[in-house]
Amino acid sequence: AALELLGDTRDLGLPVFAERVAHVAQRLAECRESQRPAVSPTLLRLFAGEIGEQAALMREELACLEPDGEALAESAHCLADHAAHLELDSAEALAQGLAAAIVRAQAGHGFDHPEVREALEAALAELDTMADFLLVAQPLPEATDILEILAQV
């Protein structure tokens, strides 16, 4: 629209130019306000499967004698990246919160501390719940309570 406006240099000095600018500004505002297209149900089902796989891998890692914090954090970051691409804000926030909690736990008390373990398990359970919501094409719940728990790890 801006190129359309500036493409005709004959109108630059005329009173009509202000009207054209107003028209173009309105069109640009309408473009910005338009809703983003819905995410493909197939992509959502694939992401739900990915959540299940990554959560299972993280649970297996946590069951090890000495869990690998880097592997756990990488799985959480992977989920956060996928959620960001699909514009699933609550899933992205939960996965980022989980990754940050994993890093803090690795640097602090470790993964054997009961509160840390409980917080990580709660986050993984919430991810599973989000996957279930995605499978039935329902809006994702906010995970603010889990995020608060993870922030305390």
Side-chain angles (χ1 to χ4, degrees), residues 2-23:
L3 292 175
E4 183 180 303
L5 172 70
L6 297 175
D8 189 3
T9 57
R10 294 174 297 164
D11 292 340
L12 288 176
L14 300 177
V16 178
F17 183 70
E19 292 174 19
R20 291 196 63 180
V21 168
H23 175 72

Side-chain angles (χ1 to χ4, degrees), residues 1-148:
L3 292 175
E4 183 180 303
L5 172 70
L6 297 175
D8 189 3
T9 57
R10 294 174 297 164
D11 292 340
L12 288 176
L14 300 177
V16 178
F17 183 70
E19 292 174 19
R20 291 196 63 180
V21 168
H23 175 72
V24 169
Q26 178 186 1
R27 285 180 54 196
L28 290 172
E30 288 171 3
C31 289
R32 184 180 50 203
E33 292 171 3
S34 67
Q35 292 184 355
R36 56 185 169 194
V39 178
S40 162
T42 303
L43 288 176
L44 292 177
R45 282 193 304 276
L46 289 171
F47 181 59
E50 183 69 17
I51 289 174
E53 288 176 25
Q54 293 297 331
L57 289 172
M58 285 189 260
R59 284 189 177 99
E60 284 178 21
E61 191 61 42
L62 284 170
C64 293
L65 221 42
E66 291 187 34
D68 181 3
E70 290 181 21
L72 290 167
E74 180 62 32
S75 291
H77 283 298
C78 178
L79 286 176
D81 287 344
H82 290 315
H85 290 299
L86 296 172
E87 297 179 351
L88 300 172
D89 299 333
S90 58
E92 179 184 6
L94 179 58
Q96 287 175 343
L98 178 58
I102 289 168
V103 170
R104 284 192 305 274
Q106 187 176 17
H109 296 296
F111 298 107
D112 291 331
H113 194 272
E115 289 177 6
V116 170
R117 184 66 67 140
E118 187 177 305
L120 297 179
E121 286 296 333
L124 292 174
E126 186 67 20
L127 281 171
D128 287 335
T129 300
M130 286 184 173
D132 292 341
F133 273 76
L134 289 171
L135 287 173
V136 293
Q138 293 295 317
L140 293 181
E142 294 296 323
T144 52
D145 53 338
I146 303 296
L147 288 172
E148 290 173 6

